[in-house]
Amino acid sequence: MTGELRSRAWFGATGRAGMIYRSWMRNQGFGAGVFDGRPVIGIATSASELAPCNAHLHRVAEAVKRGVWQAGGFPLEFPTMATGETLMRPTAMLYRNLMAMEVEELIRANPLDGVVLLSGCDKTTPAMLMAAASVDVPAIMVTGGPMLNGKYRGTDVGSGTHVWKFEEDLKAGRMTQEECFFAEGCMARSNGHCMTMGTASTMACMAEALGMQLPGSAAWPAVDARRFEIAQEAGLRVVDMVREELRPSRILTREAFENAIRVNAAIGGSTNAIIHLLAIAGRLGVKLELDDFDALARVVPTLVDLMPSGRFLMEDFCYAGGLPVVMKRLVDAGLLHAGSVTVTGNDVEANVAGAECFNDEVITKIESPFQPAGTGTAVLRGNLCPGGAVIKQSAASEHLLTHRGRALVFDSAEEYHAVCDDPDLDVDENTVLVIRGAGPKGYPGMPEVSNVPLPQKMIQAGVTDMVRVCDGRMSGTGYGTVVLHVTPESALGGPLALVRTGDEITLDVPSRELTLEVDDAELDRRRAEWVAPEPAHTSGYAWLYTQHVLQADQGADFDFLLGSRGHAVPRDSH
């Protein structure tokens, strides 16, 4: 370590200022010895009973503290927002940027030399990584871990994924409401986040693939003793990271993001990872574009057979060897930057060299993958999405990946839900359901509403999937042939705003095209007639959000938060 610790500006100060800082800390029972110049480690915890996925993180924090004390550091836990997707309205995504701002400023404003980031639910992981990238003090992530596998009537059930399945069964008369109530408790039977390869599990894996989380730690179940062992190890390691001055800017390079994109393809990860990785990269000034996600993923087969695309769950993935096995197989195939540095201080290749697979059904081999290369998330272009759109091929129906159908247009998901059970709804299996008004500005917050349920008359007719097109997002636990993140969004007057019921839409995933079959002259005429919707908010945070949020292809961060603001010690007012 060549520079002085940030915390010395507080605890090493002389005179009145130093006395204030030290004496008030001592009211918690800390002895004078903790102010001897040892690294001060912040433990940023998003624990909250309002975010069920993160409710247990106070226990994880205790394990981190043990490691920090063991390494000779001084741990100080502090609370952050908890953007839980399960309860927050209108959507947790509306508050991801706010959480990132809060965590960044808390780190910068306090006497912290390093930080351990404790996250769980979907948006808490990227928000904390965005914050760490912006303030750039040594940081390591510990995600809270997935729930144990759901068990219902002798079968495994996956959080989120089976919500959609049970809803369809209920509508089709295959399941009663009482059975659904019983299944709820079977689905969520321990602490932790979704145990499918939804967004929470995906982003935990992304943190590990980026090099910001210890190898293997993404997959340990939340209630497994080894979750707490690895948290203690993270506490140990962060103290050394401070001494080594190993900051996020040294880890989160272009090569690290390329690794994460390819790992996301290999695990069949959530499309939401695209938006979050773009946002994290934007905080560092790393050049990353939407098309990179298609170009880099095309050569990567899907190796992990997990719901919603496959059969297994995160507990199975963990016991099969977890993410180190996936990364080792990609390294051996020459598909990762093996020399990228990580929080361990070692590179990717060293981290995964000893990884062993204990179940080749769960984590398949490169030569016999779960799904072949080119079947991951695809980026679409065309006159309906000039800024791009995405589709998760592994969760879609193969027969719909090339499709032309008549549009049935709704200005909001709520408008669709109000009529989707109408037996007289003018819809058939070839109809393309268009849901707009769900983008970053339009909703606001870009909610996970794109995979709307099929019309009840279609479910009762035995139809299992239909093409849906939306400027919103989809839960990583969801499935179906759903075109997401259509950009520019309809609230900005993007082409999605010009679609009318009866128009023909062509989806051609192999050619990466999404086309509205309406000539340019007619679209120009409609565009001239289009009237922007009245703003839903004129004050408060939601107003700030709509004024400054970027589009999905830029990560939906705020325009004024791009780039790093560093870790300079703020002025002293004492």
Side-chain angles (χ1 to χ4, degrees), residues 227-243:
R227 167 64 49 195
F228 303 99
E229 286 183 22
I230 211 158
Q232 182 171 339
E233 187 179 340
L236 272 164
R237 176 61 194 147
V238 73
V239 176
D240 283 338
M241 289 175 65
V242 170
R243 293 168 177 150

Side-chain angles (χ1 to χ4, degrees), residues 151-226:
K151 300 286 184 181
Y152 176 67
R153 293 188 169 181
T155 62
D156 283 352
V157 294
S159 50
T161 299
H162 272 81
V163 169
W164 324 125
K165 292 184 186 295
F166 290 157
E167 179 185 43
E168 291 173 2
D169 288 345
L170 186 64
K171 285 189 172 186
R174 295 185 295 266
M175 197 173 191
T176 67
Q177 188 63 66
E178 290 72 23
E179 288 171 330
C180 280
F181 285 143
F182 179 74
E184 290 173 9
C186 301
M187 191 184 310
R189 63 190 189 94
S190 79
N191 285 144
H193 58 66
C194 287
M195 84 297 277
T196 51
M197 189 53 77
T199 306
S201 294
T202 296
M203 291 312 299
C205 290
M206 291 300 91
E208 188 173 327
L210 285 166
M212 290 295 293
Q213 183 160 217
L214 291 175
S217 58
W220 287 116
V223 294
D224 194 300
R226 287 160 291 190

Side-chain angles (χ1 to χ4, degrees), residues 43-47 76-82 99 102-103 106 128:
I43 303 172
T45 173
S46 53
L76 293 170
E77 181 182 348
F78 63 96
T80 72
M81 282 184 68
M99 180 179 179
E102 181 205 33
V103 175
L106 284 172
M128 285 181 157

Side-chain angles (χ1 to χ4, degrees), residues 43-323:
I43 303 172
T45 173
S46 53
S48 170
E49 291 182 346
L50 287 172
C53 305
N54 298 31
H56 65 297
L57 289 178
H58 61 286
R59 289 189 57 215
V60 180
E62 291 301 317
V64 173
K65 288 178 186 177
R66 292 197 298 268
V68 174
W69 286 120
Q70 186 178 351
F74 178 21
L76 293 170
E77 181 182 348
F78 63 96
T80 72
M81 282 184 68
T83 48
E85 190 65 67
T86 53
L87 295 183
M88 293 189 87
R89 293 186 178 185
T91 169
M93 185 63 178
L94 179 63
Y95 303 103
R96 183 202 65 178
N97 298 347
L98 180 61
M99 180 179 179
M101 291 172 66
E102 181 205 33
V103 175
E104 175 187 346
E105 298 304 333
L106 284 172
I107 294 171
R108 184 179 293 111
N110 283 289
L112 303 178
D113 304 305
V115 63
V116 181
L117 309 167
L118 304 188
S119 68
C121 197
D122 299 12
K123 313 307 175 295
T124 56
T125 298
M128 285 181 157
L129 289 174
M130 291 159 69
S134 289
V135 73
D136 203 29
V137 301
I140 189 169
M141 174 151 274
V142 180
T143 49
M147 293 183 283
L148 297 176
N149 288 1
K151 300 286 184 181
Y152 176 67
R153 293 188 169 181
T155 62
D156 283 352
V157 294
S159 50
T161 299
H162 272 81
V163 169
W164 324 125
K165 292 184 186 295
F166 290 157
E167 179 185 43
E168 291 173 2
D169 288 345
L170 186 64
K171 285 189 172 186
R174 295 185 295 266
M175 197 173 191
T176 67
Q177 188 63 66
E178 290 72 23
E179 288 171 330
C180 280
F181 285 143
F182 179 74
E184 290 173 9
C186 301
M187 191 184 310
R189 63 190 189 94
S190 79
N191 285 144
H193 58 66
C194 287
M195 84 297 277
T196 51
M197 189 53 77
T199 306
S201 294
T202 296
M203 291 312 299
C205 290
M206 291 300 91
E208 188 173 327
L210 285 166
M212 290 295 293
Q213 183 160 217
L214 291 175
S217 58
W220 287 116
V223 294
D224 194 300
R226 287 160 291 190
R227 167 64 49 195
F228 303 99
E229 286 183 22
I230 211 158
Q232 182 171 339
E233 187 179 340
L236 272 164
R237 176 61 194 147
V238 73
V239 176
D240 283 338
M241 289 175 65
V242 170
R243 293 168 177 150
E244 297 163 11
E245 298 186 12
L246 181 54
R247 305 182 187 280
S249 56
R250 287 180 53 195
I251 297 169
L252 295 171
T253 61
R254 165 74 190 197
E255 290 73 21
F257 284 100
E258 291 185 0
N259 284 348
I261 291 170
R262 287 189 160 167
V263 168
N264 191 51
I267 63 176
S270 169
T271 51
N272 290 312
I274 296 173
I275 290 179
H276 299 320
L277 289 174
L278 287 167
I280 298 164
R283 296 297 185 98
L284 295 146
V286 171
K287 185 175 175 56
L288 196 67
E289 298 178 347
L290 180 61
D291 288 331
D292 291 328
F293 289 83
D294 195 317
L296 289 164
R298 278 189 189 231
V299 296
V300 181
T302 304
L303 301 182
V304 181
D305 185 356
L306 255 65
M307 296 180 197
S309 301
R311 298 173 292 165
F312 298 102
L313 294 166
M314 284 296 289
E315 196 178 346
D316 308 302
F317 179 53
C318 177
Y319 304 149
L323 198 67

